[in-house]
Amino acid sequence: MRVGEVLSLTPADIQERSLSIQSPKSGRIGETVYVPRKIMVRLTSYVKSKNIDSRERIFPISYVAAWSMVKKAGNMVNIALRPHDLRRHAATYASRSGTPIEIVRKVILRHADLSTTQRYLGKVNDTEAIRWIETLYG
């Protein structure tokens, strides 16, 4: 998810296995994000423990505060990190782990166009290509 989407979440957006995005970047009304069960359990537990009203934001911080938290976490491990890097990493990790690019596009990144996802993931170097060939056929 994009930082702005996460910061806009309310308990009312939590479904059984997904989150409803009220104002997605795409502009599509009722966009859904599928979330692993483990994260949904933690998110639901957090909302209950904090007694957050269904219309209140779950994370009542600003975009700048979220950006600062990510940057600080990166500094702790000597990495120049921005919030969007986390989104890119999740997509790259999924792709390099064998997730079909159509799933990365539709479910993880929610891009309308496959070419956007292909640009996003970047080029595969020769070492990576050889590793995949060995994994598949070796």
Side-chain angles (χ1 to χ4, degrees):
M1 293 176 65
R2 294 170 182 91
V3 173
E5 295 169 345
V6 172
L7 295 178
S8 297
L9 286 174
T10 67
D13 298 325
I14 300 173
Q15 309 304 316
E16 186 174 328
R17 287 298 308 264
S18 63
L19 298 171
S20 179
I21 306 301
Q22 301 306 316
S23 299
K25 183 179 177 184
S26 68
R28 293 187 300 257
I29 304 296
E31 195 165 325
T32 300
V33 175
Y34 298 100
V35 181
R37 187 184 61 77
K38 186 176 182 178
I39 292 174
M40 290 300 285
V41 167
R42 287 180 178 175
L43 182 61
T44 302
S45 175
Y46 176 80
V47 167
K48 285 180 184 175
S49 73
K50 298 292 183 182
N51 199 26
I52 301 171
D53 184 74
S54 66
R55 295 180 189 211
E56 287 181 77
R57 287 178 32 216
I58 296 172
F59 307 107
I61 62 173
S62 69
Y63 181 85
V64 172
W67 209 97
S68 296
M69 291 168 67
V70 171
K71 184 173 174 125
K72 183 177 179 181
N75 287 341
M76 292 172 71
V77 292
N78 295 320
I79 297 173
L81 191 61
R82 300 169 306 206
H84 201 74
D85 294 331
L86 301 175
R87 180 173 160 82
R88 183 181 305 270
H89 173 75
T92 302
Y93 178 78
S95 176
R96 300 297 193 260
S97 297
T99 304
I101 194 166
E102 295 85 4
I103 300 297
V104 174
R105 176 198 67 83
K106 183 177 181 178
V107 178
I108 298 173
L109 296 175
R110 299 179 343 269
H111 287 153
D113 192 330
L114 184 60
S115 65
T116 304
T117 303
Q118 289 169 323
R119 269 196 325 273
Y120 203 89
L121 295 176
K123 307 248 187 251
V124 174
N125 64 36
D126 290 345
T127 305
E128 181 108 19
I130 290 168
R131 185 179 66 81
W132 272 102
I133 293 299
E134 288 299 324
T135 300
L136 290 170
Y137 304 110

